[in-house]
Amino acid sequence: MHRRNFLTGLAGLALSGPTAAQMMHDMGHMGTNGAHDMPMTGGKPVLQEGQPLRELPRLLNEAGEAGLFKARLAAEPGLVRFADRLDTPALLYNDGNPVIEAHEGDRVEISFRNGIPDEPTTVHWHGMPVPADQDGNPMEYIASGSERLYAFDLPQGSAASYWFHPHPHGFTAAQVYRGLAGIFLVKSKDDPIPAEYGDTVLMFTDLRIAEDGSMPASNMIDVMNGRVGDHVLVNGQKNPVLTVRKGEKRRLRLFNATNARFLRLAFENAAMALVGTDGGLIEAPVGIDDLLLAPAERVELIISFDRPGAAKLVTLDYDRGWMGPGKPEAAGITLLTADVSEDAAPNVPPLPATLRSIEHLSKPAVTRRFVLTESMEGMEMKFLINGASFDMKRIDEVSKVGQVELWEIVNQADMDHPFHVHGTQFQLVEREKNGAVTQPSYRACKDTVNVAAGETVRILLRQDLPGRRMYHCHILEHEDLGMMGTVDVRA
């Protein structure tokens, strides 16, 4: 649809679909003057910068035997101190954003409790090859006050940087921006990356905070574009500091856990090599100057700190498309500062030239086409796939276990949409825009791919486990407003 038609309806916008009542409740006291309206009477809180980078807490493995990861996880309200003398009400997993670490071949058993008052939730193991009934789909919701056991095995070849977050339809966006996200690292016993590089998690979230420390509810602009906060945080901190020595190489795992913020990133005064994406290591390191990390995407980087001084991870400009007023600045944000000392690091091993081999998917048996659009008819606003809004009772596609398929994702909307498929990793084949076709320069496994406005992206995928799987836009407000479908994978 045309941008002018979308904007015309802003003043009297009403929402439709199963998520409308919840979003209107969230937005009840908000204005529509911009993406950062806040019920404030004075200046905005100032977040402290320059503190040492902290590690996210590890979820304790309670199992007493090798090959088993067993733990308890709870989602419940808590308080976080982002700004001095201000406590911010949030939703947290075990009082924070925990990291789960397990290995290929392990059995995982996590007992989960929903402690969120009056809201259902799920735990979606984003990108992980888990059975459909363990994947945290919206059909498998957990009522407030209830518990369930998530249990699955981690197959060989599944080592990668995953994450987990809620997926209850109509509540996903709010539960994530209020704080519910965690990291799941699946490691290989034969990791080719030298252990001397370390293994550092950087989880990006963004925060909107009012004068009283609260998180203001979303407004109309948030619903249209996805909620973008005022502060980008790394492991819950603003521009933390990482201390390294000259000549060091560091392995950094980057996670975009924001609702809707696109991060085009560069490292000033340091060299970057891409070694992994959503589904684990790529076949060989690729030197890069910058990269785009769309919502829900992950990458693994090797950073070479060869020059003393400050090496900053910064954002560059990127136009993801924006509707209405209040467009946030994309460029010029310093996310992390590495303080590189004059002292030389001893005995830094080289990065291997080969990392692993990735299976080349065979010729597809089926081609499917998914067209992403926006709809405003009268006063009703939706985000659609193939002209339809998500219906939990409807099966949109039927597939077969083990069948290689070509999916064409066509973005006819006015903004970028990161497209996520549950239950598997896929391979990017090509991008097409304005008649020009480009192919990736390396093979990678991914579960989320950005589809720019006016672009068609083609991917190859194969589902190896039966059951119902979701596919959707990972701008979470768009997912809640209907840009999601269900594929039934049958044996």
Side-chain angles (χ1 to χ4, degrees), residues 325-386:
K327 181 179 179 180
E329 291 293 331
I333 303 171
T334 300
L335 301 178
L336 172 78
T337 299
D339 183 6
V340 187
S341 72
E342 294 278 359
D343 298 331
N347 304 321
V348 178
L351 180 61
T354 301
L355 302 174
R356 72 160 172 163
S357 177
I358 297 177
E359 175 191 8
H360 179 67
L361 293 179
S362 59
K363 184 177 180 181
V366 173
T367 297
R368 304 185 193 276
R369 182 177 172 89
F370 302 90
V371 180
L372 312 181
T373 56
E374 304 132 352
S375 171
M376 181 179 286
E377 299 177 2
M379 303 307 295
E380 294 188 358
M381 172 184 173
K382 295 181 181 180
F383 293 88
L384 310 172
I385 300 179
N386 290 345

Side-chain angles (χ1 to χ4, degrees), residues 404-480:
V404 177
E405 302 184 356
L406 177 69
W407 285 21
E408 295 184 335
I409 305 105
V410 183
N411 188 354
Q412 295 180 356
D414 288 318
M415 66 180 73
D416 291 16
H417 292 289
F419 189 82
H420 172 51
V421 183
H422 286 210
T424 190
Q425 297 285 327
F426 52 75
Q427 295 175 14
L428 176 62
V429 176
E430 63 185 20
R431 298 176 179 272
E432 181 178 353
K433 187 171 184 178
N434 299 326
V437 177
T438 57
Q439 298 174 334
S441 57
Y442 56 89
R443 189 177 303 156
C445 297
K446 292 186 60 59
D447 55 61
T448 307
V449 62
N450 189 49
V451 188
E455 184 178 50
T456 295
V457 169
R458 298 181 178 92
I459 60 175
L460 282 172
L461 61 77
R462 183 187 66 216
Q463 293 276 8
D464 292 327
L465 296 171
R468 291 183 293 176
R469 301 290 189 174
M470 321 310 299
Y471 53 88
H472 59 86
C473 174
H474 220 283
I475 293 176
L476 297 180
E477 286 74 13
H478 295 174
E479 171 194 321
D480 274 343

Side-chain angles (χ1 to χ4, degrees), residues 116-130:
I116 307 171
D118 304 318
E119 291 184 14
T121 195
T122 76
V123 183
H124 171 49
W125 311 102
H126 184 115
M128 299 183 67
V130 304

Side-chain angles (χ1 to χ4, degrees), residues 87-105:
D87 286 328
T88 296
L91 293 178
L92 304 170
Y93 287 125
N94 291 22
D95 296 320
N97 302 109
V99 176
I100 300 172
E101 183 175 319
H103 286 83
E104 295 174 332

Side-chain angles (χ1 to χ4, degrees), residues 11-27:
L13 183 64
L15 306 177
S16 65
T19 66
Q22 173 65 25
M23 286 198 168
M24 290 302 290
H25 176 268
D26 289 345
M27 296 186 297

Side-chain angles (χ1 to χ4, degrees), residues 205-424:
T205 57
D206 61 1
L207 172 71
R208 188 180 308 163
I209 184 171
E211 185 181 24
D212 62 358
S214 66
M215 298 182 196
S218 291
N219 57 41
M220 293 294 189
I221 300 298
D222 295 326
V223 174
M224 294 177 69
N225 298 285
R227 181 183 175 106
V228 176
D230 298 313
H231 306 276
V232 185
L233 306 182
V234 180
N235 295 357
Q237 299 170 283
K238 188 167 184 178
N239 185 20
V241 172
L242 178 68
T243 301
V244 298
R245 290 178 289 182
K246 183 178 67 175
E248 265 194 70
K249 296 182 187 297
R250 288 290 184 99
R251 180 186 197 167
L252 305 182
R253 299 181 190 248
L254 278 55
F255 298 76
N256 188 341
T258 70
N259 279 33
R261 184 182 285 273
F262 290 70
L263 296 166
R264 185 176 165 225
L265 303 172
F267 232 119
E268 296 178 346
N269 204 38
M272 292 195 298
L274 177 70
V275 295
T277 54
D278 303 335
L281 297 176
I282 59 178
E283 294 180 310
V286 177
I288 58 174
D289 295 321
D290 62 80
L291 65 96
L292 178 65
L293 200 64
E297 285 189 307
R298 291 90 64 207
V299 295
E300 294 184 51
L301 302 176
I302 304 300
I303 308 298
S304 299
F305 297 102
D306 296 328
R307 296 185 293 274
K312 296 181 179 181
L313 180 62
V314 299
T315 62
L316 306 177
D317 191 38
Y318 181 73
D319 184 9
R320 44 71 56 103
W322 191 265
M323 295 184 180
K327 181 179 179 180
E329 291 293 331
I333 303 171
T334 300
L335 301 178
L336 172 78
T337 299
D339 183 6
V340 187
S341 72
E342 294 278 359
D343 298 331
N347 304 321
V348 178
L351 180 61
T354 301
L355 302 174
R356 72 160 172 163
S357 177
I358 297 177
E359 175 191 8
H360 179 67
L361 293 179
S362 59
K363 184 177 180 181
V366 173
T367 297
R368 304 185 193 276
R369 182 177 172 89
F370 302 90
V371 180
L372 312 181
T373 56
E374 304 132 352
S375 171
M376 181 179 286
E377 299 177 2
M379 303 307 295
E380 294 188 358
M381 172 184 173
K382 295 181 181 180
F383 293 88
L384 310 172
I385 300 179
N386 290 345
S389 184
F390 176 65
D391 183 341
M392 203 175 302
K393 299 178 181 179
R394 186 184 68 234
I395 299 297
D396 297 281
E397 305 285 342
V398 176
S399 183
K400 295 180 180 179
V401 169
Q403 177 173 273
V404 177
E405 302 184 356
L406 177 69
W407 285 21
E408 295 184 335
I409 305 105
V410 183
N411 188 354
Q412 295 180 356
D414 288 318
M415 66 180 73
D416 291 16
H417 292 289
F419 189 82
H420 172 51
V421 183
H422 286 210
T424 190

